[in-house]
Amino acid sequence: MLIDSYDRVVDYLRVSVTERCNFRCQYCMPEKPFSWVPKENLLSFEELFLFMKIAIDEGVKKIRITGGEPLLRVDIDKFIKMIYDYKPTINLAMTTNAFLLKQTAQKLKDAGLKRINVSIDTLKPKVAEIIAGKDVLKDVLKGIDEALRVGLKVKVNMVPMKNMNFNEIVDVLEYCKERKMSIRFIEYMENRYASKEISGVKSDELLGVLREHYDFEDEGFDGSSPSHYFRMKDGYRFGLIEPYEDDFCKQCNRIRLTAEGNLIPCLYFDEALSISKAIKAGDIKAATEVLREVIRTKPEKNRWGGDDSEISSRAFYETGG
Ligand code: SAM
């Protein structure tokens, strides 16, 4: 079992398989980065899988494949199958923008994927085009329909922003509710790469608007999820992710691996250790030591909202959010 210095059990690994993305979301990657990580520096699926086997053997029970956009990586379904075949009980999930999901959902399900998280920030085609930098909404919605049809469990993430999509939180919630998909509103997290024009919405304001439409009760946190949950009278539950609250970190059970092999103990901080050399040499002992060191040095909490100068220099498209 992997236990950090604050007695938190770390059993969740998020793996960003590529930093590349087919969207240019305002809050994440509004511009193409100056340079991509060279292909030869990326870990192959076999190399990523070698590390995952170590992590699973050390106690990881949940793996989420993310990016960039994970569906851009060729043969991603074969990679999912490698993990599933190694440990069919693993809780295997993916975070995707759903643009390519219509043609991939069945293959992913057949490979062993159980759940996906999809970003829907708007239901208006023109607003989607402004947020993502291209006309994406039709394909995203078709991708979600297909994921539901093949039996994947779908959760939706929405990042509400002022003067952009804040006026759509009820519409997006209703869209999810009708399809029995849960929704989590994620507070916009400031980072160096996002568009300077963005202004996020804090949870108080968001809950205030939702209260004008619904009755709901605060259910607090559920296990190690960063989501603060609320339940409506009819049983529908929605979540809020508030990184500006310290509570966010108390039950944190996750570490992140980037496509070039950096193992990151906290989404906020720059600190990371590379497993690349050890994994490329097939040195399981050395890679295990790096993993244990990352767990040992996992910080107690992030510093989002510490003061106005605290803006994370981590790119979400690199870490996978
Ligand atoms: N391409 C996939 C997608 O769109 O879901 C996976 C990668 S994306 C970086 C993962 C998640 O990070 C998305 O749900 C996205 O909304 C969230 N995200 C990215 N930048 C963010 C920011 N600045 N603040 C809050 N959430 C952010």
Side-chain angles (χ1 to χ4, degrees):
M1 210 191 271
L2 296 165
I3 302 178
D4 76 1
S5 314
Y6 302 93
D7 275 340
R8 293 172 297 198
V9 175
V10 178
D11 59 4
Y12 180 12
L13 174 66
R14 296 174 63 103
V15 183
S16 171
V17 291
T18 177
E19 59 174 351
R20 291 171 191 248
C21 193
N22 40 1
F23 287 13
R24 291 288 170 270
C25 294
Q26 295 290 314
Y27 49 75
C28 188
M29 192 205 288
E31 308 281 344
K32 184 167 164 284
F34 183 65
S35 65
W36 299 111
V37 174
K39 281 232 162 75
E40 62 273 18
N41 290 7
L42 296 179
L43 294 184
S44 66
F45 281 151
E46 285 71 22
E47 289 162 344
L48 287 171
F49 179 54
L50 181 59
F51 180 72
M52 284 182 191
K53 286 194 285 186
I54 296 172
I56 291 170
D57 293 346
E58 288 287 306
V60 162
K61 295 194 168 53
K62 177 172 173 183
I63 293 178
R64 176 174 298 279
I65 310 299
T66 175
E69 176 45 44
L71 296 181
L72 286 182
R73 199 146 164 186
V74 177
D75 288 339
I76 189 73
D77 54 311
K78 299 202 174 106
F79 180 52
I80 302 271
K81 183 152 170 44
M82 285 157 88
I83 306 166
Y84 177 80
D85 285 347
Y86 184 68
K87 186 120 189 190
T89 53
I90 202 92
N91 184 344
L92 202 47
M94 178 183 278
T95 301
T96 169
N97 59 30
F99 190 74
L100 298 171
L101 205 51
K102 184 164 167 28
Q103 53 270 46
T104 49
Q106 185 70 63
K107 277 197 280 184
L108 294 169
K109 177 77 177 20
D110 294 345
L113 192 72
K114 296 182 175 64
R115 302 181 299 105
I116 53 168
N117 285 11
V118 172
S119 311
I120 303 184
D121 294 315
T122 174
L123 291 168
K124 296 181 183 162
K126 282 278 168 258
V127 178
E129 192 167 345
I130 293 169
I131 295 175
K134 70 177 187 188
D135 181 12
V136 295
L137 190 65
K138 205 160 52 111
D139 292 281
V140 167
L141 298 183
K142 278 189 198 159
I144 291 173
D145 287 344
E146 180 65 3
L148 291 170
R149 194 192 65 76
V150 304
L152 285 166
K153 207 164 170 227
V154 185
K155 265 191 199 165
V156 168
N157 292 330
M158 174 178 187
V159 179
M161 295 166 276
K162 294 224 167 101
N163 308 321
M164 184 76 84
N165 61 349
F166 185 36
N167 57 356
E168 284 188 75
I169 56 172
V170 171
D171 293 343
V172 178
L173 185 146
E174 283 295 322
Y175 166 85
C176 296
K177 203 162 174 260
E178 275 165 25
R179 289 162 183 77
K180 301 191 172 34
M181 307 185 291
S182 74
I183 181 166
R184 290 159 347 144
F185 299 102
I186 309 180
E187 280 184 358
Y188 165 63
M189 294 173 235
E190 286 191 49
N191 68 92
R192 203 181 280 169
Y193 303 87
S195 155
K196 304 286 167 283
E197 314 289 305
I198 292 184
S199 173
V201 180
K202 290 283 178 288
S203 53
D204 286 352
E205 200 176 342
L206 191 130
L207 288 172
V209 172
L210 292 177
R211 274 208 181 88
E212 289 168 17
H213 294 80
Y214 308 101
D215 269 344
F216 51 83
E217 279 178 12
D218 188 337
E219 288 202 325
F221 290 95
D222 184 358
S224 51
S225 163
S227 239
H228 185 165
Y229 285 105
F230 299 84
R231 195 175 292 275
M232 295 182 181
K233 285 238 158 79
D234 60 8
Y236 182 74
R237 196 164 85 142
F238 69 90
L240 253 179
I241 299 191
E242 306 158 286
Y244 295 87
E245 301 287 325
D246 282 341
D247 278 350
F248 187 70
C249 305
K250 278 187 198 135
Q251 70 274 23
C252 183
N253 64 341
R254 54 193 68 193
I255 50 173
R256 293 169 164 84
L257 180 66
T258 69
E260 55 177 336
N262 292 322
L263 199 55
I264 301 168
C266 173
L267 179 60
Y268 180 87
F269 291 98
D270 280 344
E271 283 75 11
L273 289 178
S274 177
I275 54 142
S276 180
K277 199 162 152 238
I279 286 293
K280 281 184 187 294
D283 188 339
I284 291 175
K285 190 161 167 270
T288 309
E289 271 160 26
V290 176
L291 169 61
R292 290 188 183 150
E293 180 62 9
V294 164
I295 301 294
R296 200 185 60 73
T297 56
K298 187 170 162 63
E300 186 178 13
K301 51 189 169 196
N302 69 53
R303 257 195 274 139
W304 260 292
D307 66 49
D308 287 344
S309 63
E310 297 283 7
I311 294 179
S312 176
S313 55
R314 275 244 171 261
F316 280 77
Y317 56 83
E318 184 199 358
T319 57

